[in-house]
Amino acid sequence: MENTNPFHYEGELSWCPGCGDFQILKSVEKTLTSLNKKPSEVVLVSGIGQAAKLPHYIHANGFNGLHGRALPPAFGIKAFNRDLTVLVTTGDGDCYGEGGNHLIHAIRRNIDITVIVHNNQVYGLTKGQASPTSEVGMVTKTQPYGVVSLPFNPIAFAIAMDTPFVARSYSKEIDFTAELIRQGVETKGFALIDILQPCVSFNKINTYQWYSQRVYKLDNTYDPTNRVKAFEKSLEWGDKIPIGVIYRSQRQTYDETLDRLGIKPQINPAHNLIQRGSSQGVMCGVNTLPDLSKVKSLLSEF
Amino acid sequence: MSFDISIKIAGQAGQGIQSIAEILLKVLKLNGLHVFAYQDYMSRVRGGHNFMQVRISDSPVYSIKEDCNILVALDTNSVDVHRNEVPKGGAIIYDPHSTMVDSPDNRFIPIPMNNLAKEAGSPVLSNTISAGSILALLDIDKMDAEEFIKKQFAKKGEEVIGKNLKALAKGYAYFLENFRNWKFTDIKAQKKNKTILINGSEAVGFGAIAGGCQFIAAYPMSPSTGVFTYITGKAKEFNIISEQAEDEIAAINMALGASFAGARAMTTTSGGGLSLMAEGLSLAGVMEAPVVVVNAQRPGPATGLATRTGQEDLEYVLHIGHGEFPRFIFAPGHHEEAFFTTIHAFNLSDKYQVPAFILIDQYFADTYATEKEFDLNKVKAISYQPSVVSTPYLRYKITKDGVSPRAYPMQGDFTFIADSHEHTENGHITEDGEVRNKMVEKRFRKLKGMQKEFGKPTYYGDKLVPSGSEKGKAKTVFITWGSNYGVVRETVDCLKKQKRSVAMLHFNRIYPFPRKEAVSLLKGAKEIITVENNYQGQFGNILKAETGIEADRKILKYDGRPFTVEYILKRI
């Protein structure tokens, strides 16, 4: 059967068979299809890692940058063109390790993007070293006596940063994950979705079986707008691991900050359509040139 | 009668050196005089020893002098440090109540600045008192100063304006009453001269705005902060997104994201910040993302001399970023050139989809100079967005000149990927050796076009004659780049007065290296001397690598201080 999903990519995927990334890809595809957006209106931004390959496997715009540096270009893209829907696909190493500093500040800015972290608690691309979320005691080739550093708790961290949307999912729950991503995209401001994902090649601890025995979905009795309760929930880990929307809040987004400052969007196809006479590619213009009379007025200041 | 005098205002950080200089410079400029001012400061907010040098002339000036005719000493230490730089007939202005002077001679002019300030209403007015006295000493009408004060303090209200005007008048009157017979020099206002007074940071920042900058992300670091500050101050007015990044890694990657989305994007940095940007610059190389990077150099390695000057990053910028990719490197010589170079940098970075570097340094950034009004019609921002793209759109289409059509998301119904990996024409990861070769070759094919663009070296001095004949050509050619334009130009002027056959060859564009021009302009020179603010003679090395021409002599300086004509003359 032909796939009619406009975001569907036909081509080879280079993940290991059985990898949770396939499930996340399906979830992202499902979300994008449900958004009523065209592929040209979506940008997937990533750094480096197995998760960072995802933009190549979706039919949309992509920016596959440097290891740990997915969030800064995502900021640049979204700030310059606020009409774009920007999703970041990143991993625990990319986002919580190499690029940890950017996570703090991207949340502070409250740029309106959705960050999907493929959290497999191990480094996949470099073949099995510990990641910032690996459990204490996990033995790898570079931690032969076991991991000693405490794992990073992204959920607790994000709540502490008053992130507008904080969720956790499990990759096997494809529809559930897709729904969380959709809610993240629709949230005004920064959305962090940490997705627990088995690594069939290198993580022999946090397996499908391990997760399936532990994860449970939060029900209606849980109120994600209560920050203290959310923080309590974020500490729940071990025999029972909650998945779902863990925290929600509201504060001024970066877009709104720009609006308040009077910085206008510079690409606005609806208002700035320049038809350039070709049936093949109707191109929208971008205001790239400054107002010369205004520039001239600066001279008088010197 | 022509004149050329230097004033040094010295004291501790926080004592108001800049406030005095600001009034002075603006008033001199309003009088049509040519000024050149440089600030020597320590890496601290209060205390220490800082000074501002101001040179004034009736003809254009391009550098500072070691000695000064007038010293304004705001503390005892400044008297001790600088008194020997003031020759007989010069003036040393100081406050006898706060500054101790051993055996003052007839150069010393005591002005009770603090007492006069208190009389005018507040001790903070002592800077305005000093400015008043200096203007009286220079025999410059104080009317322009009054106008300036009214404008400068307009936001602070009538009371502040009134007090400052009173202080100015007091300082002015005190000098005239007590030192009326003190004849210094014949400074004549040249009211017809229309100039602008601008510093290096402002010249680059203004150029960025005129060049259509739409996005700037940077992390504050001396001496690059001035450019970032200037642009940010105008961001609202010119619809520029300005963001202070969490670090330089974020700054360059933010700029690349904005560039991907269609923005004319830039970042500014210095020293260590540039090192942090190295990987991001490599990303710009493979993504073929236009971006303008201003690097205000300071001496390294590491923290080095944080608030001082140097030209040590040239070879670094030539190679920065792992892997191989083409780039533009510019090092403007004076503020007008910096303004236009910045506009060109935006245009060329956009046209060739390569990073464009603008190398300035602390000396250049912090130097104020009067320049003739920039002709804004000379260079304009030009956008190179394609009007039509083929279907399917290939972001990295292999083309003859190496430049692929660069469109942005949402310009049409197409999608594309920009990738840090080696990629196919449609931006997807590839490890295919043949595709790899084609991509590398495509990126480097741009060099042919880039080589023909803006940025030919400037030849100054004895006239050039058609090649083949050496008659009339300078025997000695000084080669320099970046901020040393002015000091070498004045050295040439000075030597020509001594009937020496000399010229200067100044390089603004350093990459792609203007090889042909360099070879032809240096043909026949008997002696080639490079002048650079670094230890290794980095430009000399590049010149040799690119042309085989080796300098006969290198005048190098790496103490963190700028060159002076005196310094160069002593070494030839």
Side-chain angles (χ1 to χ4, degrees):
Chain A
M1 202 181 81
E2 200 191 334
N3 195 315
T4 52
N5 183 343
F7 292 93
H8 186 74
Y9 166 79
E10 283 296 343
E12 202 196 336
L13 275 60
S14 66
W15 291 316
C16 310
C19 177
D21 281 331
F22 289 101
Q23 298 156 345
I24 298 174
L25 175 64
K26 262 190 199 156
S27 299
V28 172
E29 218 183 278
K30 263 181 192 279
T31 306
L32 291 175
T33 318
S34 73
L35 289 176
N36 215 0
K37 293 263 175 196
K38 288 191 280 187
S40 58
E41 296 167 328
V42 173
V43 184
L44 290 146
V45 185
S46 69
I48 294 293
Q50 295 295 358
K53 293 176 182 171
L54 193 142
H56 288 279
Y57 306 149
I58 289 273
H59 180 244
N61 296 299
F63 184 108
N64 179 189
L66 299 170
H67 188 42
R69 317 302 166 202
L71 293 174
F75 167 82
I77 292 165
K78 182 67 182 179
F80 190 68
N81 187 349
R82 294 174 230 170
D83 290 331
L84 284 167
T85 298
V86 179
L87 283 82
V88 172
T89 58
T90 178
D92 39 329
D94 199 45
C95 192
Y96 305 146
E98 187 94 8
N101 192 28
H102 306 310
L103 182 60
I104 298 174
H105 300 282
I107 297 174
R108 283 183 53 228
R109 288 182 186 101
N110 202 19
I111 186 85
D112 188 8
I113 60 174
T114 305
V115 179
I116 300 159
V117 187
H118 304 215
N119 183 0
N120 60 4
Q121 296 167 265
V122 75
Y123 278 19
L125 193 73
T126 54
K127 301 188 177 176
Q129 302 81 7
S131 90
T133 51
S134 295
E135 293 188 5
V136 169
M138 181 179 180
V139 173
T140 83
K141 281 185 182 165
T142 50
Q143 286 80 20
Y145 311 108
V147 169
V148 290
S149 300
L150 271 185
F152 177 69
N153 182 335
I155 305 294
F157 163 81
I159 295 165
M161 295 293 298
D162 199 19
T163 309
F165 183 87
V166 185
R168 182 193 282 132
S169 196
Y170 169 37
S171 65
K172 209 175 164 189
E173 297 282 351
I174 294 169
D175 289 340
F176 186 74
T177 304
E179 173 56 19
L180 288 175
I181 299 172
R182 195 191 58 77
Q183 288 183 35
V185 172
E186 282 173 359
T187 297
K188 274 185 153 196
F190 197 95
L192 179 77
I193 302 154
D194 185 76
I195 305 176
L196 302 171
Q197 170 220 349
C199 172
V200 291
S201 296
F202 300 110
N203 191 334
K204 306 296 181 198
I205 301 167
N206 312 104
T207 58
Y208 280 105
Q209 198 191 7
W210 192 92
Y211 285 122
S212 295
Q213 282 169 356
R214 287 165 173 80
V215 298
Y216 74 94
K217 290 176 189 166
L218 288 166
D219 61 23
N220 289 340
T221 59
Y222 176 74
D223 173 15
T225 61
N226 184 326
R227 199 170 180 189
V228 174
K229 290 274 183 228
F231 188 71
E232 222 172 80
K233 191 54 77 182
S234 75
L235 301 179
E236 209 177 297
W237 183 269
D239 289 345
K240 294 197 86 172
I241 302 172
I243 58 172
V245 183
I246 298 181
Y247 182 61
R248 265 185 190 284
S249 80
Q250 266 186 329
R251 66 191 160 92
Q252 186 172 280
T253 66
Y254 195 86
D255 292 26
E256 288 163 351
T257 307
L258 291 175
D259 282 343
R260 207 187 52 182
L261 288 173
I263 307 280
K264 293 174 209 72
Q266 315 199 26
I267 304 178
N268 195 334
H271 300 119
N272 195 32
L273 194 71
I274 303 170
Q275 298 265 357
R276 301 203 188 187
S278 163
S279 58
Q280 278 201 315
V282 176
M283 304 281 285
C284 303
V286 181
N287 312 317
T288 50
L289 308 179
D291 179 345
L292 204 60
S293 65
K294 262 167 112 186
V295 173
K296 271 187 181 141
S297 73
L298 286 185
L299 265 181
S300 63
E301 293 176 10
F302 296 111
Chain B
M1 212 184 92
S2 69
F3 59 89
D4 182 352
I5 63 169
S6 288
I7 304 178
K8 218 169 246 186
I9 306 162
Q12 295 171 23
Q15 273 196 310
I17 295 171
Q18 274 178 323
S19 316
I20 301 173
E22 197 178 2
I23 300 177
L24 200 59
L25 289 171
K26 286 281 184 188
V27 173
L28 292 167
K29 179 235 155 187
L30 287 171
N31 277 277
L33 300 167
H34 294 277
V35 298
F36 188 92
Y38 169 67
Q39 196 183 359
D40 182 297
Y41 60 101
M42 296 174 77
S43 184
R44 53 196 286 180
V45 178
R46 289 280 184 275
H49 177 69
N50 294 354
F51 59 90
M52 182 86 151
Q53 287 163 279
V54 181
R55 201 171 143 205
I56 313 160
S57 177
D58 50 352
S59 49
V61 272
Y62 298 94
S63 72
I64 43 163
K65 290 207 157 173
E66 288 179 7
D67 290 345
C68 58
N69 308 86
I70 300 167
L71 170 67
V72 181
L74 301 181
D75 65 350
T76 307
N77 179 43
S78 297
V79 175
D80 298 340
V81 173
H82 299 291
R83 67 187 291 171
N84 291 336
E85 296 166 7
V86 185
K88 247 189 207 162
I92 300 174
I93 292 177
Y94 70 107
D95 187 334
H97 302 292
S98 59
T99 305
M100 306 289 289
V101 177
D102 284 336
S103 52
D105 51 46
N106 58 9
R107 294 173 301 168
F108 283 83
I109 298 177
I111 309 259
M113 293 179 256
N114 277 321
N115 289 352
L116 290 173
K118 277 181 210 154
E119 284 173 26
S122 160
V124 296
L125 294 164
S126 70
N127 297 323
T128 313
I129 301 275
S130 313
S133 294
I134 301 167
L135 291 173
L137 166 68
L138 294 173
D139 199 15
I140 288 192
D141 196 287
K142 69 178 188 342
M143 245 170 56
D144 289 320
E146 288 166 355
E147 286 309 306
F148 171 73
I149 283 170
K150 282 179 198 160
K151 238 170 102 180
Q152 183 76 353
F153 297 107
K155 277 189 192 152
K156 295 193 173 169
E158 287 300 320
E159 200 194 337
V160 176
I161 294 176
K163 280 182 179 172
N164 274 281
L165 289 177
K166 202 169 158 192
L168 183 84
K170 268 186 179 294
Y172 204 90
Y174 187 90
F175 182 88
L176 291 183
E177 281 157 23
N178 296 281
F179 307 98
R180 185 168 287 281
N181 297 329
W182 214 92
K183 186 74 186 154
F184 182 69
T185 183
D186 286 320
I187 292 193
K188 288 275 176 300
Q190 327 266 314
K191 288 275 187 182
K192 272 180 279 170
N193 268 343
K194 280 271 174 279
T195 58
I196 56 168
L197 176 70
I198 192 166
N199 72 25
S201 298
E202 291 167 342
V204 172
F206 183 20
I209 291 168
C213 172
Q214 294 164 308
F215 184 98
I216 179 167
Y219 188 88
M221 182 166 182
S222 292
S224 67
T225 316
V227 179
F228 182 33
T229 308
Y230 180 78
I231 295 168
T232 303
K234 305 290 174 201
K236 219 178 139 176
E237 196 180 335
F238 286 90
N239 213 37
I240 297 167
I241 296 168
S242 167
E243 182 65 12
Q244 183 176 316
E246 54 272 27
D247 55 34
E248 288 84 349
I249 298 173
I252 182 70
N253 282 284
M254 283 173 171
L256 294 178
S259 175
F260 166 88
R264 291 202 146 196
M266 76 180 294
T267 184
T268 57
T269 190
S270 299
L274 181 70
S275 296
L276 287 181
M277 288 185 185
E279 194 190 15
L281 290 164
S282 186
L283 179 64
V286 78
M287 278 191 174
E288 304 187 47
V291 65
V292 172
V293 181
V294 176
N295 179 40
Q297 300 166 97
R298 61 190 233 186
T303 310
L305 299 168
T307 60
R308 303 208 174 270
T309 202
Q311 295 183 302
E312 302 177 8
D313 297 343
L314 180 60
E315 286 189 307
Y316 185 46
V317 165
L318 191 63
H319 300 288
I320 192 167
H322 54 288
E324 301 174 296
F325 58 93
R327 67 199 74 197
F328 277 109
I329 302 173
F330 297 105
H334 51 91
H335 299 164
E336 190 192 19
E337 189 168 69
F339 173 78
F340 289 119
T341 297
T342 308
I343 302 174
H344 279 295
F346 272 96
N347 287 345
L348 293 172
S349 177
D350 185 337
K351 184 174 177 182
Y352 290 97
Q353 304 169 25
V354 295
F357 293 90
I358 299 171
L359 278 181
I360 56 170
D361 50 49
Q362 183 268 326
Y363 168 64
F364 190 89
D366 294 339
T367 297
Y368 277 91
T370 43
E371 303 243 1
K372 63 172 191 294
E373 246 184 33
F374 302 156
D375 177 4
L376 296 177
N377 295 313
K378 232 167 88 182
V379 186
K380 284 181 186 152
I382 303 165
S383 167
Y384 292 89
Q385 52 184 307
S387 52
V388 177
V389 294
S390 60
T391 314
Y393 171 52
L394 296 175
R395 171 66 188 91
Y396 299 101
K397 191 174 161 60
I398 302 287
T399 59
K400 223 175 139 187
D401 61 2
V403 181
S404 315
R406 172 176 165 254
Y408 323 131
M410 287 179 78
Q411 270 194 294
D413 262 339
F414 54 82
T415 64
F416 69 95
I417 287 199
D419 192 6
S420 63
H421 302 83
E422 191 55 89
H423 42 250
T424 56
E425 284 184 302
N426 66 12
H428 280 292
I429 301 175
T430 186
E431 293 190 28
D432 185 311
E434 224 169 281
V435 175
R436 157 74 181 175
N437 282 348
K438 278 190 177 155
M439 281 295 162
V440 173
E441 289 154 13
K442 166 191 125 61
R443 290 192 287 265
F444 274 100
R445 269 205 299 282
K446 296 176 188 175
L447 274 177
K448 205 176 160 195
M450 288 164 66
Q451 182 66 261
K452 291 182 196 142
E453 296 288 354
F454 163 82
K456 304 278 186 284
T458 305
Y459 188 91
Y460 177 81
D462 283 349
K463 260 192 205 141
L464 272 176
V465 288
S467 59
S469 159
E470 277 164 26
K471 203 180 150 206
K473 209 164 187 179
K475 285 191 179 121
T476 300
V477 179
F478 289 96
I479 292 185
T480 197
W481 61 280
S483 65
N484 289 327
Y485 171 89
V487 72
V488 175
R489 180 186 163 127
E490 288 195 344
T491 305
V492 166
D493 288 341
C494 190
L495 289 169
K496 281 184 64 170
K497 275 184 198 146
Q498 298 169 19
K499 304 280 178 229
R500 294 269 301 265
S501 168
V502 287
M504 165 181 78
L505 188 57
H506 176 270
F507 288 81
N508 176 15
R509 194 182 81 209
I510 294 172
Y511 200 82
F513 193 83
R515 212 173 294 144
K516 259 192 216 156
E517 292 82 1
V519 169
S520 107
L521 290 166
L522 288 171
K523 208 172 174 188
K526 295 274 177 292
E527 185 186 30
I528 293 170
I529 304 173
T530 52
V531 181
E532 299 184 66
N533 273 113
N534 57 53
Y535 179 82
Q536 298 184 99
Q538 295 184 17
F539 185 85
N541 296 341
I542 294 170
L543 176 73
K544 191 182 168 191
E546 292 279 348
T547 64
I549 298 171
E550 196 164 2
D552 298 287
R553 211 123 54 84
K554 295 175 178 185
I555 300 180
L556 305 170
K557 197 171 192 286
Y558 37 86
D559 61 357
R561 274 76 176 168
F563 278 105
T564 57
V565 174
E566 296 95 317
Y567 183 95
I568 298 173
L569 289 179
K570 270 183 222 157
R571 281 157 185 82
I572 52 171

